[in-house]
Amino acid sequence: MSNHSALNTFGRSGNPLIRSDIFSSRASSLGEKMTLQGAVDKTGILLFLTVMTAAISWNFQGPMMGAISALGALAAFVSGIATFGFWFFFVGWIVKPRPHLAPKTAPIYALGMGFIIGIMSEQAEMMFPGIVIQAVSLTFFVAASLLFAYKSGLIKPTQNFLLIIFSATVGIFLTYIANLVYSAFTGTSFSFLTDNGAFGIGISLFVVAIAALNLVLDFDIIEQAHEQGAPKYIEWFGAMALVATLIWLYIEILRLLMKLRSR
Amino acid sequence: MSLSTLLFAILGIISFLSFFFLLRYKASSKQTDRTNRIRWSSYFSYKERKGISQTKKVGSDGDAEFRE
């Protein structure tokens, strides 16, 4: 038997536990490219995790669940910042995006956000019965409609589109932060955010529109990463971005419906 | 369960299934063959992580050469 055929038969190591084919399969898995199906699967997994923890926080109320939810929210926040980064005006990036962390941070984010939306949904459902199913249905209706518009080429995200949506998103984010600080000192929120008048509903509609258009950017990230043969972990990154926007869209639709039903 | 809730549930199920059905298909050439697309690779790098295969060459480099 020649040395090469011996290597092929027994592997590079004499130890059968560390045969070369095991290493080669490990190496090939590291070089794997992302697929659209992989991104779909990961999105499904993350949504399942979100719904699971949302169901837990919906059904088990109390101080213990409040503490777990607060911990979940903190974990989701840290996971989100670690993966997507954090950009600050005039200073630039403080935390750079790290897509390679997504396989670890995405499930943590989904589980943490599940606790938050479980509590929010339960409170909304107590006040307005049937509102949660309406909000969930409208969220997926908006997502499916925009996905169709994107895939068919009706909506074409460009650099200008990105700048407008990004600016509007940062504006909304800063308004929410300012509201949080304001309510911490005064005990009340900005009236235009909670008001159920025409102006308040208009603001809510604008936020829903911006959240929905963020979905188009997420679809583009997944599509382009797939075209360019991005590594496998981008499936988790794309899925995490998509689930984060879906959760945001769901919360905004829920708030809009609550304003409409309280009129 | 009221009729509106039932209708919303049906709408939600159809939308959910359509969403996951559409997500697995490639976008049309009208969407992909454009020159003014967003260049996502300039915002975050796909190649930031160096796996074992990139840091250490898995192959014959570290192995002894055998003569036939």
Side-chain angles (χ1 to χ4, degrees), chain A residues 83-240:
Chain A
T83 315
F84 300 123
F86 184 72
W87 190 86
F88 196 77
F89 288 114
F90 311 114
V91 181
W93 291 108
I94 292 178
V95 183
K96 283 195 180 296
R98 288 180 176 81
H100 62 277
L101 293 178
K104 289 170 191 151
T105 53
I108 297 170
Y109 178 84
L111 290 168
M113 287 307 287
F115 283 117
I116 301 167
I117 62 168
I119 287 177
M120 286 179 72
S121 303
E122 197 268 342
Q123 286 172 355
E125 187 69 21
M126 273 212 317
M127 285 189 274
F128 308 103
I131 199 168
V132 168
I133 202 153
Q134 290 175 356
V136 171
S137 299
L138 286 174
T139 302
F140 279 106
F141 178 71
V142 170
S145 308
L146 280 171
L147 182 56
F148 175 75
Y150 173 78
K151 294 276 181 184
S152 62
L154 284 171
I155 293 181
K156 291 173 184 155
T158 60
Q159 200 66 33
N160 284 341
F161 179 89
L162 170 68
L163 283 173
I164 293 166
I165 299 304
F166 182 73
S167 307
T169 307
V170 171
I172 293 164
F173 177 73
L174 291 177
T175 309
Y176 283 169
I177 295 282
N179 182 51
L180 203 69
V181 173
Y182 178 76
S183 63
F185 286 103
T186 62
T188 55
S189 301
F190 291 152
S191 59
F192 63 89
L193 287 179
T194 50
D195 182 28
N196 62 358
F199 187 66
I201 287 170
I203 292 279
S204 260
L205 276 171
F206 172 75
V207 177
V208 166
I210 295 300
L213 290 173
N214 265 283
L215 281 176
V216 176
L217 298 177
D218 299 329
F219 300 148
D220 203 46
I221 289 175
I222 294 172
E223 189 77 33
Q224 213 173 102
H226 170 248
E227 282 168 29
Q228 293 176 354
K232 199 79 177 157
Y233 63 83
I234 295 292
E235 289 175 356
W236 282 109
F237 181 72
M240 186 178 175

Side-chain angles (χ1 to χ4, degrees), chain B residues 10-31:
Chain B
I10 293 167
L11 176 79
I13 291 166
I14 293 169
S15 303
F16 180 84
L17 295 176
S18 318
F19 178 74
F20 277 96
F21 177 76
L22 284 171
L23 204 57
R24 69 182 65 193
Y25 290 105
K26 230 181 146 308
S28 69
S29 56
K30 222 164 103 181
Q31 183 67 264

